Amino acid sequence: MIIDSLDNAHLYHGLGPRFVKAFEYLQQTDFSTLEKGKYEIEGNTIFAIVNEYQTVDPAGEQMEAHKKYIDVQYVAKGEEQIGHDFLNGQTPSRAYDGDADYMLFGERPAFFSRLAQHQFAIFFPSDLHMPNLTAGVQQPVKKVVIKISVA
């Protein structure tokens, strides 16, 4: 996992051309005008999901992991906390759903990080994550999740 500011996106271009495209999309798009929904960047290989929500208490949440896609989670507006950990053989509380590309885990996160506006987190298939959490007080967040295919 990687957590940083969009100002430092150039440092991660070495992860490959798909990351370059994802970061260019984040840097060049005015998210204040985009509605919630899915936006293709490069077919099913790279796409964005724009969402708006109120942050939630971590008590009722579970960590998730993916197999087919890497998440680049970018906070366009607001601030949230994200719980995270390493996937090290834990047993899923909800089995992997290949169509939705996720599985859930009941363990509590080992780490919590705060994502402020214009910051991002990258979660690889080896990372567990619990996004959308309240950072201090509940607040509205607009987040863009770029999905990058691992294949």
Side-chain angles (χ1 to χ4, degrees):
M1 68 194 74
I2 296 169
I3 299 172
D4 207 338
S5 168
L6 192 58
D7 291 338
N8 293 326
H10 64 281
L11 299 174
Y12 306 100
H13 286 184
L15 293 172
R18 292 179 181 172
F19 283 90
V20 173
K21 283 187 180 185
F23 286 125
E24 285 174 350
Y25 180 82
L26 291 174
Q27 291 168 323
Q28 297 170 5
T29 305
D30 179 4
F31 293 108
S32 67
T33 64
L34 273 188
E35 298 291 323
K36 290 169 53 172
K38 180 179 175 181
Y39 297 87
E40 288 189 10
I41 299 169
E42 192 174 282
N44 284 328
T45 304
I46 309 170
F47 59 92
I49 300 169
V50 176
N51 200 5
E52 294 182 76
Y53 51 85
Q54 289 286 328
T55 56
V56 298
D57 187 289
E61 300 299 304
Q62 294 190 57
M63 289 191 289
E64 63 185 58
H66 311 287
K67 292 185 179 183
K68 296 178 187 174
Y69 289 95
I70 296 164
D71 277 6
V72 178
Q73 298 195 11
Y74 171 72
V75 176
K77 181 181 177 187
E79 179 177 279
E80 72 175 41
Q81 186 168 274
I82 294 184
H84 46 97
D85 205 342
F86 301 102
L87 180 57
N88 288 322
Q90 298 95 327
T91 301
S93 59
R94 179 171 178 167
Y96 180 70
D97 178 334
D99 292 333
D101 186 40
Y102 82 98
M103 55 190 151
L104 296 177
F105 295 84
E107 288 83 3
R108 303 316 300 159
F111 314 98
F112 287 91
S113 297
R114 189 175 294 231
L115 283 186
Q117 191 166 311
H118 305 301
Q119 292 181 325
F120 67 88
I122 301 174
F123 296 105
F124 297 92
S126 59
D127 299 324
L128 296 171
H129 53 286
M130 181 189 290
N132 310 352
L133 305 178
T134 299
V137 1
Q138 187 181 42
Q139 64 178 287
V141 170
K142 186 167 196 176
K143 185 195 278 182
V144 181
V145 177
I146 306 279
K147 296 287 199 172
I148 299 175
S149 175
V150 298

